[in-house]
Amino acid sequence: MTQQLLRQSPRPASAIPRYYRALDFEQLWQEFPPAPEYFDERNRLSRDALRTLQEERFLTQMERAWQIPFYQRHWGAAGMEPGDIRSLDDLLKIPPFSVHDLREAIGRNPPWGDFIGLDPARDAPLPLVLQTSGGTTGLPRPMLYSPRDREVMNVITGRRLYMQGVRPFDIVQVMLSLGLANGGFLAREGIWKYTGAVPVMTGSGAQTPTRRQIEIMRAWKTRHLVGFPAYIRHVGLVMRDELKIDPRSCGIQSLIVHLGVEDRVSLQEIWGARAYDTYGTNECGSLAAECEHQRGMHVFEDAFMLEIVDPDTQQPKAPGEKGVIFQTTLFKHLAPLVRFNSNDLSAFAPGDCPCGSTHRRIERIYGRSDNMVKLRGTNLFPEAIGGIVGENRAANGEYVCIVERAAATGREEMTVWVEAADRAVSRPDLEKTLAARFKEVLGVTLSVKAVERGGLDEMTGLSTTSKVRRLIDKRHPEQD
Ligand SMILES: [Zn+2]
């Protein structure tokens, strides 16, 4: 088991695993071509050829998963046996699992959980690296990566950044926190190893204050910003309104973000640059990314099988219909995912993309189904509320939703706090307009409270973390 790794007596020096010897790089790049080769061949493979490749990798992944105690237990309990699954057509027969199962597996077998398939008694030592999920409550969820797992993720990060305009010698400023969470370090590895561009790791606002971020950006001629859209917007507004510098004069070419339902248009306007959406997780790295045409995110289908299914019946959804994303990895050795219910809501994008890629695309991530708030019988997503706030030019796009039970009436109420775009905005007018718009779009009455710019910083954690808080549910205090 993994934890024994830490308790063993020291191995002889000759047994220290070396990263570069742990991998056959040429072989790996044949299997997962990096940019730019990827775009000539793999990205244009016919659907049939892609399916054949996926099936072969899927069956290998199944074989590997059967060696891991987590799947032996989970699948065994459903009556599955090794060899039951013979093709991709059988995928629907496999019981899915969710983050709750992962947490339970960690509880059962701390600290990493028995879904990480590593046995020091049997396996040769591997150089390992650990990163985590963001984690707003309790300990963040750890994930260990083998050299191959990590390197495939790096190759894919490189493809994604190439699609979004990053080229050799470009300066890429990474405004993601550099600590436990995977995003920042994965960006660094992908940029450095697979784009020829230069990562500049300024990190979150807590690591490099916003004004220093701006000084560096201008002095070193940053061309691309990687970060959360809320923070990139904040940096642009500080530049424009406090420092009186037009962000559009800085030569920024692309904003590389997980857009979700944040408003793309206003973000692009502030910077005079294209904002590109991406879908990624700490377990998988980037699963899908937009190309220059911004028509949905191309799934890297040689590395992932994505399904979009009905959250209740688990039946596949047709293109354009929303459902939750199930993820299956086609390359992971230490902790393969087979039908992982991500709880992220999206839809397959219908039609083709002018770039000529044959890989399927997903629409934006509309929210997380487990982030849904049930308020007086209506299902609400904080992200959707944020989308509506983002459309209003009198607000600056910042928001936080507070749900509580009114002391007097016992009725559940949600108040959406927003920030006014500038001092000229009448806050009562903004509150009234937004409340009417919420009623119109969501069919439910929400209170709106507008404050000055920066007034929500403390509640959302915007300038100190890269995990911005959008929902504070006071009905269930134990859930944060
Ligand atoms: Zn495309």
Side-chain angles (χ1 to χ4, degrees), residues 233-234 237 240-241 262-263 265-267 269-270 385-400 416-435 437-438 448-456 470:
R233 186 196 302 112
H234 171 73
L237 293 177
R240 190 187 72 190
D241 300 338
E262 303 254 357
D263 182 46
V265 176
S266 64
L267 191 62
E269 269 171 21
I270 292 170
I385 290 168
I388 297 168
V389 176
E391 289 164 4
N392 191 312
R393 291 292 173 271
N396 72 353
E398 271 315 304
Y399 72 98
V400 61
V416 182
W417 292 67
V418 301
E419 294 183 7
D422 55 56
R423 275 158 202 256
V425 167
S426 152
R427 287 193 254 152
D429 283 355
L430 173 60
E431 289 168 357
K432 234 169 78 187
T433 322
L434 270 178
R437 184 75 183 138
F438 289 141
V448 181
K449 191 89 190 113
V451 298
E452 268 188 35
R453 223 174 67 203
L456 302 181
R470 297 302 189 194

Side-chain angles (χ1 to χ4, degrees), residues 99-317:
V99 69
H100 305 292
D101 300 294
L102 292 184
R103 288 209 192 98
E104 198 187 285
I106 291 171
R108 191 185 299 116
N109 196 355
W112 318 125
D114 61 1
F115 54 88
I116 294 179
L118 187 68
D119 184 354
R122 191 190 59 198
D123 299 333
L126 282 173
L128 300 172
V129 65
L130 182 153
Q131 301 284 167
T132 72
S133 61
T136 42
T137 52
L139 275 180
R141 207 170 60 248
M143 179 53 61
L144 282 163
Y145 311 95
S146 73
R148 187 170 185 276
D149 294 347
R150 191 71 186 173
E151 208 60 27
V152 173
M153 290 162 72
N154 293 338
V155 165
I156 290 171
T157 304
R159 292 176 183 175
R160 159 199 165 194
L161 291 158
Y162 187 91
M163 280 163 84
Q164 303 179 345
V166 175
R167 293 294 180 271
F169 304 115
D170 285 357
I171 298 293
V172 187
Q173 191 163 333
V174 180
M175 297 165 153
L176 294 168
S177 75
L178 308 171
L180 286 170
N182 193 23
F185 284 110
L186 186 63
R188 181 177 192 258
E189 289 166 45
I191 295 164
W192 170 36
K193 294 178 170 181
Y194 290 104
T195 69
V198 182
V200 172
M201 309 305 292
T202 46
S204 71
Q207 287 164 319
T208 306
T210 299
R211 288 176 181 232
R212 178 52 54 87
Q213 299 257 14
I214 293 169
E215 287 167 6
I216 288 173
M217 187 185 304
R218 300 181 72 220
W220 299 352
K221 303 204 181 330
T222 298
R223 285 186 74 99
H224 313 276
L225 300 178
V226 178
F228 281 85
Y231 187 62
I232 292 182
R233 186 196 302 112
H234 171 73
V235 173
L237 293 177
V238 168
M239 197 185 244
R240 190 187 72 190
D241 300 338
E242 293 176 26
L243 304 174
K244 309 293 178 202
I245 301 163
D246 185 353
R248 288 170 294 189
S249 69
C250 296
I252 301 292
Q253 194 183 308
S254 44
L255 312 171
I256 297 170
V257 295
H258 291 236
L259 198 60
V261 296
E262 303 254 357
D263 182 46
R264 187 201 302 267
V265 176
S266 64
L267 191 62
Q268 295 192 146
E269 269 171 21
I270 292 170
W271 287 97
R274 309 286 287 276
Y276 294 109
D277 201 359
T278 301
Y279 176 49
T281 66
N282 78 308
E283 283 91 4
C284 298
S286 299
L287 295 107
E290 275 185 340
C291 70
E292 57 180 325
H293 299 283
Q294 298 174 307
R295 293 200 188 177
M297 299 181 272
H298 292 280
V299 179
F300 295 103
E301 289 193 286
D302 59 344
F304 303 99
M305 277 290 305
L306 293 195
E307 300 166 76
I308 292 185
V309 306
D310 185 286
D312 299 321
T313 66
Q314 296 179 357
Q315 285 307 301
K317 290 286 197 179

Side-chain angles (χ1 to χ4, degrees), residues 319-334:
E321 288 178 6
K322 285 180 200 167
V324 295
I325 300 177
F326 280 10
Q327 307 167 349
T328 298
T329 54
L330 301 175
F331 67 95
K332 286 193 82 184
H333 179 74
L334 277 195

